[in-house]
Amino acid sequence: MSIASEVDMVPSVGSSLAGRPQAVIDQVRSYESYIAGRDVAGEGWVYTLTARSLLEDVFTSVNIKRTLEQNPESPESLHPYVVGRCGVATLADIDAAVDAAVSAKAGWAATPLATRMRLGPIFRAKLREHREELLSLLMAEAHPRMLAEWELSCLEQVYSDESCDWYRQQMATEFDHADRRLIVRRCPDGVVAINPPQNAPAPSAALAVLILMAGNTVVVRAPRSIALSTMYVLRELVAPLLAELGAPPGTLNVICGKPQQTLDRWLEHPGVDDILYFGGSEEGLRFEQECVARGKKPILELAGNDGLVVWRDADLKLAAEAIAECFYGSGQICMVPNYVLAHPAVAEELIGLVREEVGNVRPGYPEERGVLLSPVRRSEKFFRLLDQAVRNGAELVCGGRRTELDGTPSETGVFLEPTVVRVEGLRDARRFDIVRHETFFPLIPLVVAEPADDELLLDRFVDFLNDNSYGLRNSLWATSSEVVDRFVTRINNGGLLKVNDSHIGFLPYLPSHGGTGLTGGAFGEANYPILKTSHLQGVSISRGIRPRTAVFGD
């Protein structure tokens, strides 16, 4: 069926459910706050309307949301644009969720590690079982299907058998030493509050499973503007698994609330031990200071400004594919490449190949195969950054315009063209904001290094990456083992280094999140949530050793 014919079949606002397929009716989901193992009514609702509605009829979409938030019994609740709703937590609910987590923490922490570790594999199985349902919700929230599949691939690796085996090794190790049994183990921090980002809330909130595996109890805030998929994952998939494992009520709590209001309550509540915070670097670093002042552990996932290096002997076609990953989701993903450093000997050919790859990145409805661009609602900063770069001497290679759904350039389009900008020289490259900071747009600066001896260029490339004030991921494209070894041994910035590989791809064992500098704050490093929300403890169990002998010897 064509898009046009589907649009023609959309009933008017206020139409009844009569004639709608049962599968559509079943997709209208409703979630209240989940506190201490039960559903708790809040103060009103926030509604999720399919992303398609914003592309077809933004006026009707906005009107339906406003009407329903004022009157949930309105006939608009039956409109096919409506996917679901989530109850809004009160201040009392926010505190009650933490109180429930406090009450449950001793019981869950006492649960044997082997039992808690089972949560990872059975959650992965549950994700696979409900894959299409979750994909449909992510697409309703404006994630292109291919991007949603990539997000689920992250969870597949995070909870793979290899990764879960490695987590188990890190959580407890035993040694025999003379007449003692020595244990090095990790203990849960206690109550962990999670504030996932708006651009990918459900996959980020799913990291709560790792935090639960560590023995912590959890409170998650589902973002008000995009709450449904988060509530689905935690309420429908994770909560039943915890019940199967005998977790006490309150081990997992999920609320939908205002961000600042919720964070303020978490900072004030003495029961919160850790806060996993996703957000911008400036706000996040201020929040880190507040956490430390209140005696809470801040775990920060902030902005990224990832570098991708292309050396003279690189497979340029594959490198160009990796560079094009910067446009996925219209660049509104922290772990995509944000700038490219190109060897001058291959810069021209590389730019040509990147231009070809741009043609494979297109807008469209989220459910359409091949769509990789997402709508960008606020694009003023994009044009401001682009204008600054061009005024300062950069060259616009391609892109730079708004487009309609079909890719046609338009002053009123809700998509942005994939945009490539050429910057000459490493020396002054960071005077361009598009090189110095994360842009969060489909915009990549390709920095062409000054011609120089390869040994000198190699040092300059390494220094450039290490001097980045951010540090999430870096990647290199080169075939020389000497060049690869130099990068592997000398790059110390960031939580992950990829060599001749997808910049955004996920792998078992390796971290999916975490970084240094403005990405992770003062305590930033690769983020394995099971480790970041626990702490090391050494244990010695003696078999009849005399204390005096232990101190002074025989």
Side-chain angles (χ1 to χ4, degrees):
M1 184 183 294
S2 69
I3 291 174
S5 60
E6 287 184 338
V7 173
D8 292 340
M9 291 176 63
V10 173
S12 61
V13 174
S15 64
S16 72
L17 284 171
R20 293 180 66 186
Q22 185 63 41
V24 174
I25 298 172
D26 291 341
Q27 290 303 308
V28 181
R29 303 177 181 275
S30 183
Y31 297 106
E32 297 177 327
S33 295
Y34 183 66
I35 302 172
R38 61 189 182 89
D39 296 318
V40 177
E43 53 178 8
W45 301 90
V46 289
Y47 288 80
T48 296
L49 273 63
T50 176
R52 192 179 187 95
S53 68
L54 295 173
L55 299 174
E56 291 175 345
D57 190 344
V58 65
F59 176 80
T60 296
S61 176
V62 171
N63 184 59
I64 291 172
K65 287 193 70 168
R66 288 176 178 170
T67 300
L68 288 174
E69 286 170 7
Q70 294 171 1
N71 177 19
E73 303 305 318
S74 167
E76 275 82 347
S77 63
L78 307 179
H79 196 285
Y81 281 164
V82 179
V83 180
R85 65 180 186 173
C86 297
V88 179
T90 65
L91 285 175
D93 294 337
I94 297 171
D95 289 340
V98 177
D99 292 340
V102 171
S103 297
K105 75 175 183 178
W108 180 240
T111 302
L113 176 62
T115 300
R116 301 197 314 260
M117 291 302 299
R118 287 179 52 207
L119 191 56
I122 61 177
F123 175 59
R124 184 175 183 234
K126 186 71 78 170
L127 280 172
R128 289 177 167 179
E129 179 185 347
H130 294 271
R131 175 184 173 83
E132 289 303 318
E133 290 172 85
L134 183 50
L135 285 174
S136 69
L137 288 178
L138 293 174
M139 287 186 287
E141 293 177 341
H143 298 231
R145 183 182 179 95
M146 291 179 65
L147 185 59
E149 290 173 341
W150 166 75
E151 290 172 311
L152 294 191
S153 77
C154 169
L155 299 179
E156 285 275 327
Q157 297 301 343
V158 166
Y159 296 105
S160 67
D161 291 340
E162 301 96 324
S163 294
C164 288
D165 287 344
W166 186 81
Y167 304 146
R168 174 64 182 84
Q169 295 170 31
Q170 304 306 306
M171 292 301 291
T173 307
E174 295 194 11
F175 309 90
D176 287 323
H177 177 70
D179 289 328
R180 297 180 180 89
R181 180 161 61 99
L182 305 182
I183 304 170
V184 179
R185 67 185 183 188
R186 301 194 70 89
C187 300
D189 287 344
V191 174
V192 180
I194 304 174
N195 183 61
Q198 293 191 59
N199 62 318
S204 301
L207 298 176
V209 173
L210 286 172
I211 296 170
L212 291 162
M213 290 163 66
N216 301 289
T217 54
V218 168
V219 180
V220 181
R221 184 193 77 86
R224 276 178 57 105
S225 61
I226 185 169
L228 194 64
S229 62
T230 299
M231 297 297 290
Y232 171 80
V233 168
L234 298 177
R235 184 67 186 86
E236 302 277 5
L237 307 187
V238 181
L241 297 180
L242 287 170
E244 287 180 25
L245 296 178
T251 300
L252 170 68
N253 307 274
V254 194
I255 57 174
C256 174
K258 298 176 181 178
Q260 194 58 55
Q261 182 185 67
T262 305
L263 291 171
D264 288 345
R265 301 299 287 188
W266 287 348
L267 286 169
E268 292 173 9
H269 200 299
V272 173
D273 296 290
D274 300 356
I275 302 179
L276 175 52
Y277 175 93
F278 293 78
S281 291
E282 186 176 343
E283 301 87 349
L285 294 178
R286 286 198 300 268
F287 184 73
E288 178 182 56
Q289 293 177 343
E290 291 186 71
C291 285
V292 172
R294 306 289 185 96
K296 304 182 189 302
K297 181 194 286 187
I299 304 168
L300 306 181
E301 288 291 339
L302 308 180
N305 188 32
D306 293 11
L308 186 154
V309 172
V310 182
W311 195 246
R312 68 181 308 150
D313 62 349
D315 184 321
L316 297 183
K317 182 168 179 52
L318 295 181
E321 285 185 20
I323 292 169
E325 291 174 344
C326 73
F327 304 124
Y328 293 5
S330 293
Q332 297 176 94
I333 304 168
C334 63
M335 58 187 66
V336 298
N338 275 267
Y339 66 89
V340 177
L341 304 184
H343 193 291
V346 297
E348 296 298 335
E349 184 179 356
L350 178 65
I351 289 173
L353 291 169
V354 171
R355 289 187 65 135
E356 292 178 14
E357 287 296 327
V358 165
N360 298 324
V361 182
R362 65 179 182 83
Y365 291 111
E367 62 271 20
E368 292 177 359
R369 277 287 175 188
V371 169
L372 284 166
L373 292 177
S374 303
V376 179
R377 297 297 166 193
R378 299 293 299 273
S379 56
E380 299 87 353
K381 184 179 177 182
F382 168 83
F383 291 103
R384 188 165 63 249
L385 288 167
L386 184 58
D387 181 64
Q388 181 214 50
V390 173
R391 281 190 289 105
N392 287 339
E395 175 192 349
L396 176 62
V397 175
C398 61
R401 299 174 295 184
R402 294 186 182 91
T403 75
E404 298 291 347
L405 187 68
D406 61 0
T408 303
S410 165
E411 290 296 320
T412 59
V414 296
F415 295 91
L416 293 172
E417 287 182 323
T419 302
V420 180
V421 175
R422 176 173 179 154
V423 175
E424 294 293 343
L426 289 176
R427 187 176 298 107
D428 298 319
R430 285 204 171 99
R431 68 189 174 92
F432 295 92
D433 285 346
I434 60 172
V435 178
R436 186 179 178 186
H437 297 296
E438 178 187 60
T439 64
F440 227 58
F441 293 111
L443 170 63
I444 189 81
L446 199 150
V447 182
V448 180
E450 302 89 341
D453 174 80
D454 276 359
E455 189 68 20
L456 179 59
L457 274 181
L458 194 53
D459 286 340
R460 289 176 177 173
F461 278 24
V462 168
D463 290 344
F464 197 94
L465 289 186
N466 280 336
D467 289 343
N468 185 6
S469 57
Y470 300 82
L472 185 55
R473 297 183 174 203
N474 293 300
S475 60
L476 165 71
W477 286 86
T479 55
S480 164
S481 58
E482 180 182 345
V483 172
V484 171
D485 288 347
R486 182 81 66 91
F487 271 79
V488 170
T489 56
R490 287 187 54 192
I491 295 297
N492 53 42
N493 187 29
L496 188 65
L497 172 63
K498 303 288 287 292
V499 178
N500 296 324
D501 202 349
S502 161
H503 188 92
I504 65 172
F506 301 102
L507 295 165
Y509 307 114
L510 298 184
S512 60
H513 293 72
T516 53
L518 297 179
T519 296
F523 310 102
E525 60 179 354
N527 185 358
Y528 296 89
I530 193 171
L531 305 183
K532 293 284 278 189
T533 59
S534 58
H535 53 274
L536 278 171
Q537 183 185 72
V539 178
S540 170
I541 303 173
S542 169
R543 293 183 288 271
I545 297 291
R546 289 188 63 195
R548 186 180 297 275
T549 301
V551 175
F552 299 110
D554 295 332

